[in-house]
Amino acid sequence: MEFSIRAANVEDCKEISRMIMELAEYEKVVDKVKVTQRDLEQDGFSKNPFFHGIIAEVPEQLKSKEGHTKIGYALYFFSYSSWKGRAVFMEDLYVMPDFRGKGIGKALMSKVAQLGMAAGCNQLNFTVLDWNKSSVDFYLSQGCTDVTSELGYHYMSCNGEALEHLAQP
Amino acid sequence: MEFSIRAANVEDCKEISRMIMELAEYEKVVDKVKVTQRDLEQDGFSKNPFFHGIIAEVPEQLKSKEGHTKIGYALYFFSYSSWKGRAVFMEDLYVMPDFRGKGIGKALMSKVAQLGMAAGCNQLNFTVLDWNKSSVDFYLSQGCTDVTSELGYHYMSCNGEALEHLAQP
């Protein structure tokens, strides 16, 4: 299938926001999504952006039944490992269901890897839900390591009142 | 105990590098540390740094038996959640053994939380080794959530030849 991958720009935020919601529906966490189109515009496309994005697009004649030509995306940001140095973190990787199995997800992930390596990164990191077997299998088939299973690293988070309390001097 | 927390600068990289090695010894992964003092200087203190750091220092009269006054550090960088928006990621949190139990680790973590909230972040994320029970207990006592245990998120990584292969178009 004909498709292209390009850097996201501020005009893509409406469609990214739509796809974030679709991904959340798939992951069964719609109620946890607080990020709006406006947030994406501010956080990703002002000075010192918090993330970068890439978009997968198909030509008009291949648009989805709902009329979308932007049919996949990945968000990423640069990070750091005090052992291994520069790293790129892939926050989201999503392709609309009707467009799966055509190499678009792989192409998006490959682009994030390329962009990371071009910036001197020697690691691509991300998280995956353990029940999402098809994604886990895909990542393992690409030579990725499950750091949680192999080394015992757990991902932890502090937010809401706990974060406010912690931040008090 | 008298101590102070301040932003790290490029002159601190030698001591940060020493403490990264000490932390790696504690986590039993010394052979995995590839980052040098020079890497830290370049990656943290040039334009568009990959991380930021803070240092815990004691006065000269309280220096360690090896003569160190820089006795703890935390590294962090800004990240993003497509559900919850701006986030700060704490990459390392370390206090030298002789200086533990005096609130220095908590003060470092609190500072990262403050800096994150000041930048509009509503989440502080990090990873912890599941066998490091005292750290896990400390984080849980601060109201942190174990996202891996509760939601099933696994941390994955792609590097070396797998990353090079993935990045090929």
Side-chain angles (χ1 to χ4, degrees):
Chain A
M1 177 181 273
E2 196 186 338
F3 66 90
S4 58
I5 309 277
R6 61 165 175 80
N9 56 54
V10 70
E11 285 77 28
D12 295 316
C13 289
K14 185 180 172 189
E15 288 290 275
I16 294 174
S17 184
R18 167 185 62 80
M19 290 189 278
I20 286 173
M21 289 308 299
E22 290 178 15
L23 176 55
E25 282 163 24
Y26 176 68
E27 292 190 335
K28 302 163 190 170
V29 288
V30 165
D31 56 317
K32 294 201 176 162
V33 178
K34 308 296 178 202
V35 167
T36 63
Q37 175 187 340
R38 184 65 176 273
D39 292 327
L40 294 172
E41 290 166 358
Q42 288 185 341
D43 297 340
F45 300 93
S46 51
K47 202 167 169 280
N48 300 321
F50 281 74
F51 67 88
H52 308 281
I54 53 176
I55 291 278
E57 235 170 358
V58 291
E60 186 66 23
Q61 68 269 23
L62 296 177
K63 68 186 176 193
S64 76
K65 55 185 182 294
E66 304 87 358
H68 302 297
T69 55
K70 297 170 185 176
I71 50 77
Y73 76 99
L75 301 186
Y76 65 97
F77 50 81
F78 293 104
S79 66
Y80 205 71
S81 157
S82 57
W83 303 347
K84 296 190 179 173
R86 300 180 184 192
V88 57
F89 191 94
M90 183 172 69
E91 163 63 13
D92 271 0
L93 175 64
Y94 177 73
V95 176
M96 289 175 68
D98 288 352
F99 295 86
R100 291 180 194 162
K102 303 172 198 308
I104 301 176
K106 170 84 185 287
L108 283 164
M109 190 173 177
S110 176
K111 190 72 188 176
V112 174
Q114 281 168 44
L115 292 163
M117 289 186 76
C121 300
N122 45 48
Q123 267 192 102
L124 166 63
N125 299 321
F126 52 96
T127 58
V128 65
L129 281 161
D130 56 4
W131 57 257
N132 190 351
K133 189 87 173 57
S134 63
S135 289
V136 172
D137 288 346
F138 168 71
Y139 293 132
L140 293 175
S141 77
Q142 299 301 313
C144 301
T145 306
D146 184 333
V147 177
T148 297
S149 294
E150 295 199 6
L151 298 172
Y153 278 92
H154 277 221
Y155 201 82
M156 312 263 309
S157 187
C158 184
N159 48 57
E161 281 179 25
L163 182 62
E164 280 172 35
H165 191 260
L166 182 64
Q168 276 159 23
Chain B
M1 176 179 276
E2 197 186 338
F3 66 91
S4 58
I5 309 276
R6 61 166 174 79
N9 57 53
V10 70
E11 285 78 27
D12 295 315
C13 289
K14 185 181 173 187
E15 289 291 276
I16 294 174
S17 184
R18 167 186 61 81
M19 290 189 279
I20 286 174
M21 289 308 299
E22 290 177 15
L23 176 55
E25 282 163 25
Y26 177 69
E27 292 190 335
K28 304 164 190 172
V29 288
V30 165
D31 56 317
K32 295 202 175 162
V33 179
K34 308 296 178 202
V35 166
T36 64
Q37 176 186 340
R38 184 66 176 273
D39 292 327
L40 295 172
E41 290 167 358
Q42 289 186 340
D43 297 341
F45 300 93
S46 49
K47 201 166 169 281
N48 300 319
F50 281 73
F51 68 87
H52 308 280
I54 53 176
I55 291 278
E57 237 171 355
V58 291
E60 186 66 24
Q61 68 271 23
L62 295 177
K63 67 185 176 192
S64 76
K65 54 184 184 292
E66 305 87 356
H68 301 299
T69 54
K70 297 170 185 176
I71 50 77
Y73 75 99
L75 302 186
Y76 65 96
F77 50 81
F78 294 104
S79 65
Y80 204 72
S81 156
S82 57
W83 303 347
K84 296 189 180 173
R86 301 179 184 193
V88 58
F89 190 94
M90 183 171 69
E91 163 62 14
D92 271 358
L93 176 63
Y94 177 73
V95 176
M96 289 174 69
D98 288 352
F99 296 86
R100 291 179 193 162
K102 302 171 198 308
I104 302 176
K106 170 85 185 287
L108 283 164
M109 190 174 177
S110 176
K111 191 72 188 175
V112 173
Q114 280 169 47
L115 292 163
M117 289 186 75
C121 301
N122 46 48
Q123 267 192 102
L124 166 63
N125 299 322
F126 52 97
T127 60
V128 66
L129 281 161
D130 56 4
W131 57 257
N132 190 350
K133 190 89 172 57
S134 62
S135 289
V136 172
D137 288 347
F138 168 71
Y139 294 132
L140 293 175
S141 77
Q142 298 301 315
C144 301
T145 306
D146 184 333
V147 177
T148 297
S149 294
E150 295 199 6
L151 298 173
Y153 277 92
H154 278 222
Y155 201 83
M156 312 264 308
S157 187
C158 184
N159 49 54
E161 281 180 24
L163 182 61
E164 281 172 34
H165 190 260
L166 181 64
Q168 279 159 21

